Amino acid sequence: MTEQASTDTQPRLGARFAGQVALITGASRGIGLGIAHRLQAEGATVVLTARKPEALAEAVAQFPEGTALGIAGKSDNPDHRAEVYDAIAEKFGRLDVLVTNVGINPVYGPLIDLDLDAARKILDVNVIGTLAWVQEAVHHEKLGFRENKGRIVSISSVAGQVPSPGISFYGISKAAVSHLTKSLAVELGPDIRVNAVAPAVVKTNFATALYEGKEEEVASAYPARRLGTPEDIAGAVAYFASSDADWITAQVLTADGGVITAGGNA
């Protein structure tokens, strides 16, 4: 299974998101692109953001004409976020679903040797960036996010649930995302639901270092006996974003093939 979502193997789905607009950050590949494909397959118009214009254009080209819009920029840049929300308001006049998927982990190694500037950058993108996307969606006067009973789904990580050597500070940032999810759900209810999905290792470029050359060995620790795919996470996000989950908020769904229960880590 490759990182890119495959449209020709996408199951026939209903139209739970017909007439709705969904924004997915970090969506030029991997989990974000998989989520965008799933929501579009269920009727949504999707807006994708990513840092690299060329990769984003290639991603948007995978969708049926008129169903996807790509806007390139850095997720932690306030001007980029304003551009995205203003474009959504102008072109579509509404926002229904916000999926905050952007996450970085530029360092690997023990916390005791962690470069503190790298730590600040991780927090700025993974935590402050997540909060900023939410704040600006809620406060934008022309999106009607609250009036549309908006749904927010953030991508956390099982690294935020148990110590994960080598990526510990990334895990710390994702633990913050999980707590942020719960806190926002309490503040924004009943109008807006907020949930998160916490994956273990998913087969994407982002996680390559965790399984490349040793996939069978890594997967052996998972009761499911395989690593995750972007489609696995997309299904969970689509559930949280749909009316099927209207009574579900403030939850963090562990999507890990059972590895944490079996005593493993990210």
Side-chain angles (χ1 to χ4, degrees):
M1 179 77 65
T2 60
E3 176 186 342
Q4 179 176 301
S6 175
T7 55
D8 59 353
T9 59
Q10 187 70 264
R12 291 188 176 275
L13 302 169
R16 292 187 294 182
F17 303 106
Q20 298 185 26
V21 177
L23 167 62
I24 307 96
T25 68
S28 64
R29 63 187 188 184
I31 290 174
L33 182 55
I35 292 167
H37 273 295
R38 178 60 183 260
L39 297 183
Q40 189 278 319
E42 294 199 51
T45 297
V46 292
V47 180
L48 289 65
T49 74
R51 186 167 52 89
K52 297 180 179 180
E54 298 82 4
L56 185 59
E58 291 176 4
V60 170
Q62 298 175 23
F63 292 83
E65 186 175 356
T67 65
L69 170 68
I71 305 173
K74 294 183 178 180
S75 184
D76 57 339
N77 184 336
D79 292 337
H80 169 61
R81 294 193 298 267
E83 177 190 10
V84 170
Y85 284 135
D86 287 347
I88 294 173
E90 180 180 347
K91 292 179 180 294
F92 309 116
R94 64 183 297 134
L95 180 66
D96 302 275
V97 178
L98 168 61
V99 181
T100 62
N101 172 62
V102 171
I104 64 168
N105 184 39
V107 292
Y108 184 89
L111 287 172
I112 198 66
D113 297 320
L114 179 66
D115 179 85
L116 296 183
D117 286 335
R120 293 184 186 97
K121 184 64 175 179
I122 291 169
L123 289 178
D124 197 36
V125 174
N126 296 4
V127 184
I128 304 303
T130 297
L131 176 58
W133 280 108
V134 173
Q135 287 181 333
E136 291 162 33
V138 173
H139 290 311
H140 199 289
E141 295 180 353
K142 297 181 179 179
L143 291 176
F145 194 57
R146 189 183 291 274
E147 293 77 9
N148 297 336
K149 298 293 183 180
R151 284 130 282 150
I152 299 165
V153 187
S154 293
I155 303 303
S156 183
S157 172
V158 295
Q161 300 177 12
V162 295
S164 298
I167 58 170
S168 294
F169 201 79
Y170 172 77
I172 289 166
S173 75
K174 289 301 187 176
V177 169
S178 293
H179 191 74
L180 179 64
T181 293
K182 297 176 183 181
S183 298
L184 285 169
V186 171
E187 288 191 14
L188 296 176
D191 298 324
I192 297 172
R193 294 192 293 104
V194 190
N195 293 288
V197 178
V201 177
V202 176
K203 293 176 64 175
T204 66
N205 283 351
F206 181 79
T208 297
L210 300 176
Y211 69 87
E212 190 173 43
K214 54 181 179 179
E215 181 176 340
E216 187 173 340
E217 176 188 350
V218 174
S220 68
Y222 288 60
R225 293 298 186 270
R226 69 172 177 87
L227 304 183
T229 68
E231 291 83 1
D232 291 323
I233 309 308
V237 170
Y239 166 70
F240 273 144
S242 76
S243 58
D244 291 335
D246 269 353
W247 205 49
I248 310 297
T249 195
Q251 301 304 305
V252 180
L253 173 64
T254 300
D256 71 341
V259 69
I260 299 301
T261 301
N265 57 38

